[in-house]
Amino acid sequence: MKNLNNKEEVLNNNNKDRKKRTGLKICCIILVFIIITLVSIIVFEFPMGLCDIYEGTAKIVNEIYTEITGDTNKLMPLPIIVEYGVGVDDKPVIYLYPEKEIDIEVKLNNVDFTATYPQYNNGWKVKAKPNGVLVDRNNREYNYLYWEGYSDYNSDISKGFVVAKEDYISFFEEKLEYVGMSDREVCDFISYWLPICNQYDYMLISFQKDYSEKVKIDYSIKPNNELVVFVAFKGLNKPLDIEEQDLSSYKEFKREGFVAVEWGGEIIK
C-alpha cells in the first residue's frame, strides 16, 4: 500500500510539474503574440496579416488549454474573418488591339467573380477590332472586358512608392506611361482609382509584376505582346520609409503585333 501511495504521489507531482510547464508555454505564446501585434502596429500602422497570426496563435493556445484542463471551450476565440489579407481584385479590365478584326475567346483562371461586364459565360466571346473596340454577339460595343473578384494572389507591398495626395495624378501619369500604358488606358485607370486614393493623405503604391503568373488569362488567339499592370494600394495617414521599386522590367513590353493590356488593383487594409 505504501508503494502504491508513493507512486500516486509521484504521478501527482509529475502532473503538477507538467501543468506548470504547459502554463509557462501559454504565457510565452501569448507574450510573443502581444509583441508581434505591437511591432506590426508600429511598423505598418495597420497590422498586415494580423488575423492570420492571431488565428495560428489561438489554435496552439486552445490545444494546450484543452490538454491541461480537459475543457473543450476555447481560451482564445478564433477570428470570424479568417481570410484577412485576401482582397478583392478591383476593376481589372482587359483591352485587345489585334492587327486585324478577329473573333476571340478570353478566359480567366483561379478567380471567383463578383462582377463581370459583359457577362462572363464560361469566358468572353467577342469580335476585337484594331482600334480596341470589342463587339459581342448582340452587336453591343465595349471599350474593354471588365471583371472583379477574388483570386488566390497575395500582394507584396514590401517595396513601392509613398505618394502624397497632391501628387497622385502626376505620379500615375508618369509611372503608367513608363510601364507602357496608352493615354486612353492611363485615363481609365486614373478615373477609377483617383477618387479612392483621394480618401487618404498618402498612399503606398506597389506594382505587382508577378500578378499575371497567378491570375492567368487564356486567349484563343495568343497576343504577340501582353502588358499586365496590377497595383496594390495601402492608405496612409503619414509618410512611410520604404524601398522604392524598380519598374525597368516593364520596358520589355512592346506595342507590336496583336497587343493585350490588363490593369487592375487591390486595396490593402
Side-chain angles (χ1 to χ4, degrees):
M1 179 66 71
K2 185 175 182 180
N3 289 337
L4 183 60
N5 289 336
N6 287 339
K7 288 181 179 179
E8 289 179 353
E9 185 176 349
V10 170
L11 287 173
N12 288 334
N13 289 335
N14 288 340
N15 287 335
K16 288 179 181 178
D17 291 340
R18 182 165 164 270
K19 288 181 179 180
K20 286 180 181 178
R21 289 195 299 271
T22 311
L24 286 173
K25 288 181 182 178
I26 291 179
C27 292
C28 290
I29 291 170
I30 293 175
L31 180 60
V32 169
F33 172 73
I34 293 172
I35 292 172
I36 292 173
T37 303
L38 292 175
V39 170
S40 298
I41 293 173
I42 292 171
V43 174
F44 299 111
E45 290 192 38
F46 301 97
M48 297 189 305
L50 182 56
C51 191
D52 292 334
I53 296 171
Y54 176 87
E55 182 184 10
T57 304
K59 285 180 178 178
I60 294 172
V61 172
N62 290 336
E63 287 174 3
I64 296 173
Y65 176 74
T66 301
E67 184 181 350
I68 294 174
T69 64
D71 187 355
T72 56
N73 292 324
K74 293 178 174 56
L75 183 64
M76 294 176 67
L78 294 177
I80 295 174
I81 302 174
V82 297
E83 291 186 342
Y84 183 90
V86 180
V88 176
D89 297 347
D90 285 330
K91 204 192 176 180
V93 297
I94 301 168
Y95 304 84
L96 301 175
Y97 306 101
E99 292 183 287
K100 61 181 181 180
E101 188 173 295
I102 58 172
D103 291 314
I104 187 170
E105 184 174 359
V106 181
K107 292 186 176 182
L108 281 158
N109 296 316
N110 304 322
V111 173
D112 292 325
F113 294 110
T114 56
T116 62
Y117 187 74
Q119 189 173 354
Y120 186 91
N121 294 313
N122 194 33
W124 289 290
K125 294 180 181 180
V126 295
K127 186 182 299 293
K129 298 183 178 182
N131 63 358
V133 172
L134 306 176
V135 183
D136 67 11
R137 65 186 62 185
N138 297 315
N139 289 322
R140 183 180 294 276
E141 295 187 353
Y142 307 86
N143 291 326
Y144 45 68
L145 304 173
Y146 160 78
W147 68 272
E148 189 173 278
Y150 293 93
S151 69
D152 58 1
Y153 180 79
N154 293 314
S155 295
D156 177 6
I157 57 174
S158 58
K159 297 179 183 180
F161 305 89
V162 175
V163 184
K165 188 174 186 177
E166 60 270 21
D167 298 325
Y168 290 153
I169 292 178
S170 60
F171 171 83
F172 286 134
E173 288 178 339
E174 176 191 347
K175 298 302 182 186
L176 296 178
E177 180 182 351
Y178 177 82
V179 301
M181 291 173 62
S182 69
D183 289 345
R184 170 195 176 193
E185 293 154 7
V186 171
C187 179
D188 290 344
F189 185 102
I190 294 176
S191 298
Y192 180 80
W193 286 106
L194 185 60
I196 297 172
C197 291
N198 277 340
Q199 299 175 41
Y200 302 93
D201 293 331
Y202 297 89
M203 183 70 78
L204 169 56
I205 301 171
S206 179
F207 289 75
Q208 306 296 302
K209 191 66 168 66
D210 63 343
Y211 175 80
S212 59
E213 298 173 9
K214 294 288 186 180
V215 184
K216 295 184 178 181
I217 305 175
D218 289 335
Y219 299 96
S220 59
I221 302 175
K222 186 174 177 59
N224 299 112
N225 288 283
E226 185 177 359
L227 173 65
V228 178
V229 181
F230 190 82
V231 183
F233 299 86
K234 179 175 173 59
L236 303 172
N237 295 321
K238 58 184 179 181
L240 177 72
D241 289 331
I242 191 169
E243 183 178 347
E244 190 169 292
Q245 277 184 302
D246 178 8
L247 302 180
S248 59
S249 60
Y250 283 96
K251 300 301 286 182
E252 299 171 3
F253 168 72
K254 303 295 182 184
R255 284 186 176 267
E256 298 173 352
F258 173 22
V259 172
V261 176
E262 180 189 25
W263 63 255
E266 176 186 11
I267 296 294
I268 305 295
K269 299 298 184 180

